[in-house]
Amino acid sequence: MKSIWEYANPKKFIETSQALLPWVTGLTVVCMVVGLVWGFFFTPDDYRQGSTVKIIYLHVPAALMAINGWFMMLLASLIWLIRRHHVSALAARAAAPIGAVMTIIALATGAIWGQPMWGTWWVWDPRLTSFLILFLFYLGYIALWAAVEDDDTAADLTSILCIVGSVFAVLSRYAVHFWNQGLHQGASVMRAGALAGDTEERVSNVFAAPLFLSMAGFVLFFVALVLLRTQTEIRARRMRALMARERRG
Amino acid sequence: MMPELGKYADTVLSAYAVSLLLLVVLAVWSIWRARKMRAELETVEARRKRAQ
């Protein structure tokens, strides 16, 4: 049995991810296209939300990846801090812009949906506020990587920032339960009662099937881009090292 | 083919337009950067080989 740490070797990572990328990309396209087309064109309106329910196929998967993207970065950062594998630090760096875009999509679609449904684009609700702070953490994380010249120091500092920001990633997910207030509704997709089959608690099957496909599509989209962008970060790091060697003569 | 979106048509279409645009821009930017970095690294490595 091969060790997972084998993939901490940049060359091995590039080889493996190169082989995986076409499959992951193909699955991404299939899940996203089928999920979004099914949801947009072939699902009925909700009796309360009307056609705005179709926004769920973008909003929920984007929010899912905004939060879990940060957790992936946290895991990679911890691996860097403990085992000092460069690939894990670079994978965290590669994931940040994707997570930031997912957060923008979740915030934007939420605001667009909220205007007709809540009567406001924005409210300082615990979940929305913690999500906005998570977005600011993403921006700070990206800026910190860009601001520090030495790669190892940048990886150390951003890993610490990532650990701190994880508080807001957790709050974004559980704010509704912690404070039990605000406009944003609680979970209705992965809720315990929903999974147990309580039809009062969960999203209707008509909406759930395309929603799960769209969620799978977003997860795969994230994975595909992380693989591709990590390869780029590995190459960029190697190039910086070669250029530094050339300058030293 | 287009579903009847009623009075929320603008809301739904703008949510889809913004999201899909951001996803496409992110994917295209990532692919462009990957190709550019690969080409630049190949150039630098070739130059080093010639110099050795």
Side-chain angles (χ1 to χ4, degrees):
Chain A
M1 173 109 178
K2 288 181 178 176
S3 162
I4 190 170
W5 303 118
E6 200 179 319
Y7 301 100
N9 178 320
K11 199 165 172 248
K12 178 75 181 170
F13 179 89
I14 286 181
E15 277 172 16
T16 311
S17 58
Q18 200 64 37
L20 283 173
L21 257 175
W23 297 99
V24 180
T25 308
L27 267 175
T28 303
V29 172
V30 169
C31 288
M32 270 186 139
V33 170
V34 174
L36 291 176
V37 168
W38 185 355
F40 186 85
F41 290 99
F42 303 108
T43 56
D45 288 356
D46 178 68
Y47 75 101
R48 274 180 302 192
Q49 301 177 48
S51 61
T52 62
V53 72
K54 293 179 191 299
I55 296 175
I56 198 177
Y57 307 110
L58 295 163
H59 179 73
V60 173
L64 171 86
M65 291 323 298
I67 298 169
N68 290 309
W70 192 273
F71 287 135
M72 176 258 147
M73 287 161 56
L74 173 66
L75 183 66
S77 299
L78 289 173
I79 293 173
W80 161 254
L81 288 175
I82 296 165
R83 298 192 65 121
R84 312 302 282 179
H85 291 315
H86 287 108
V87 171
S88 64
L90 296 175
R93 182 180 191 176
I98 314 167
V101 168
M102 293 296 173
T103 316
I104 298 174
I105 292 174
L107 286 169
T109 52
I112 293 168
W113 178 89
Q115 212 286 326
M117 292 297 114
W118 291 343
T120 179
W121 297 97
W122 180 263
V123 62
W124 295 100
D125 160 290
R127 193 172 217 179
L128 272 67
T129 307
S130 53
F131 231 89
L132 179 64
I133 297 173
L134 178 65
F135 176 62
L136 297 177
F137 263 95
Y138 269 118
L139 294 186
Y141 181 93
I142 294 166
L144 189 55
W145 260 111
V148 181
E149 205 168 310
D150 179 68
D151 278 355
D152 288 5
T153 310
D156 286 340
L157 294 174
T158 52
S159 295
I160 302 298
L161 182 67
C162 189
I163 292 168
V164 176
S166 298
V167 174
F168 290 95
V170 171
L171 284 181
S172 304
R173 176 70 184 84
Y174 296 106
V176 180
H177 305 293
F178 290 157
W179 284 285
N180 198 27
Q181 63 176 40
L183 277 175
H184 200 290
Q185 67 269 34
S188 48
V189 180
M190 293 295 184
R191 201 164 165 174
L195 293 177
D198 183 346
T199 51
E200 288 296 309
E201 298 244 348
R202 68 180 162 89
V203 170
S204 160
N205 281 341
V206 176
F207 306 117
L211 177 59
F212 283 129
L213 259 178
S214 184
M215 286 162 76
F218 272 67
V219 171
L220 289 163
F221 179 81
F222 180 86
V223 172
L225 283 191
V226 166
L227 291 177
L228 179 70
R229 296 178 65 91
T230 305
Q231 288 183 4
T232 306
E233 294 301 338
I234 290 170
R235 292 192 173 106
R237 187 175 186 278
R238 172 153 174 76
M239 198 159 86
R240 284 193 293 275
L242 290 177
M243 300 293 272
R245 245 181 263 174
E246 275 188 359
R247 276 197 299 274
R248 283 197 302 269
Chain B
M1 187 61 195
M2 188 71 177
E4 182 53 56
L5 298 173
K7 61 178 177 175
Y8 298 123
D10 290 349
T11 302
V12 177
L13 292 176
S14 57
Y16 272 78
V18 168
S19 304
L20 296 178
L21 179 71
L22 283 168
L23 291 174
V24 168
V25 166
L26 176 65
V28 169
W29 171 50
S30 301
I31 294 166
W32 172 80
R33 197 166 159 257
R35 287 184 178 167
K36 185 170 168 264
M37 191 54 65
R38 198 177 189 153
E40 283 179 8
L41 181 61
E42 278 171 7
T43 309
V44 173
E45 282 180 333
R47 191 171 66 215
R48 281 181 61 83
K49 247 182 205 162
R50 281 198 303 272
Q52 280 169 0

